[in-house]
Amino acid sequence: MSKKFNLSAISGMEQVGEGLLSDASKAQRTTRRTTTFIHIRDIDVHPLNNMSMSQIKTLAETIRLNGCQLEQPVEVRRIEGGRYLLLAGHRRIAACKYLIDNGQWVGDEVVEAKIREIEDVNLPLDDEDKDRWLLLVTNLHRVMTDADKAVMLSGLKDLVGKLRTAGVETIALDGEEGVRIKGRRTRE
């Protein structure tokens, strides 16, 4: 009878590939976001969210047809009183609440959520601006109307201006290579 191959029995196997990770990848590995299920009524919409909230009923029907499950987790951060502040997924939460209010939600009233912490924002900003930063960068991937783009650009312009004033020259989004935000003087 032959023995089964056991990869974990090879000494030093936990270090294989360690030299292939960049410092940014290693840092990102240690700050992974926690994913959990949160009761929908414990999630507060972000007061600074100015993104469009169109077609909620259509989205609600899609969620209902999917068994009241979201295809992608919402993103939140913890706030006082055991509650959560919504960073990304405002339309999805509005659609879920619409289904609940109309008696169409099936099962537990929970959604999958990624929890982000304001302390993970490694930028020289105060907590309010870090909160705005999280709100903006978690929504970069969404399909935007022209008004959404204007809101996004205005917010990012303000925050990038504050970062430049603080002496920041490059920023990295989710472990990506740094993006230069401080220009070079070409005129005197």
Side-chain angles (χ1 to χ4, degrees):
M1 180 189 257
S2 65
K3 292 183 178 182
K4 290 188 176 181
F5 180 75
N6 184 355
L7 188 61
S8 61
I10 301 173
S11 66
M13 203 57 201
E14 64 279 352
Q15 296 174 359
V16 170
E18 191 65 26
L20 300 175
L21 296 176
S22 68
D23 290 338
S25 295
K26 289 176 187 175
Q28 187 177 13
R29 179 179 60 189
T30 60
T31 60
R32 290 185 193 261
R33 292 175 219 127
T34 305
T35 301
T36 189
F37 286 88
I38 299 173
H39 195 280
I40 293 167
R41 298 291 182 193
D42 290 338
I43 299 173
D44 297 331
V45 296
H46 201 296
L48 298 177
N49 179 49
N50 294 318
M51 300 299 238
S52 61
M53 296 287 286
S54 62
Q55 301 180 342
I56 299 302
K57 289 181 183 179
T58 304
L59 180 57
E61 181 61 14
T62 301
I63 292 170
R64 187 187 68 77
L65 292 172
N66 195 38
C68 293
Q69 299 292 317
L70 300 180
E71 291 290 326
Q72 180 179 6
V74 297
E75 292 194 35
V76 298
R77 74 171 180 83
R78 296 175 213 272
I79 56 175
E80 296 173 356
R83 300 194 59 80
Y84 298 87
L85 187 63
L86 189 59
L87 298 171
H90 288 80
R91 290 182 62 245
R92 286 173 278 160
I93 290 298
C96 292
K97 288 180 178 179
Y98 174 85
L99 291 171
I100 292 168
D101 293 344
N102 289 288
Q104 297 177 346
W105 187 268
V106 178
D108 295 333
E109 296 176 358
V110 297
V111 292
E112 186 176 7
K114 289 183 180 181
I115 300 175
R116 297 188 67 146
E117 303 296 339
I118 206 160
E119 295 81 23
D120 292 339
V121 179
N122 190 18
L123 293 171
L125 298 169
D126 62 28
D127 283 354
E128 184 178 327
D129 285 336
K130 285 181 179 183
D131 194 43
R132 286 178 53 216
W133 177 264
L134 284 173
L135 179 65
L136 292 170
V137 298
T138 56
N139 282 289
L140 284 173
H141 67 279
R142 83 179 267 174
V143 176
M144 292 188 231
T145 64
D146 289 342
D148 291 338
K149 291 174 186 174
V151 166
M152 180 74 69
L153 289 173
S154 174
L156 287 174
K157 180 181 178 189
D158 179 52
L159 291 172
V160 166
K162 289 180 179 187
L163 291 171
R164 285 178 175 166
T165 300
V168 175
E169 294 185 9
T170 60
I171 53 175
L173 299 174
D174 286 335
E176 295 292 325
E177 185 176 324
V179 176
R180 186 170 178 79
I181 63 169
K182 188 159 186 138
R184 295 186 196 118
R185 256 199 144 119
T186 57
R187 295 183 190 177
E188 289 302 315

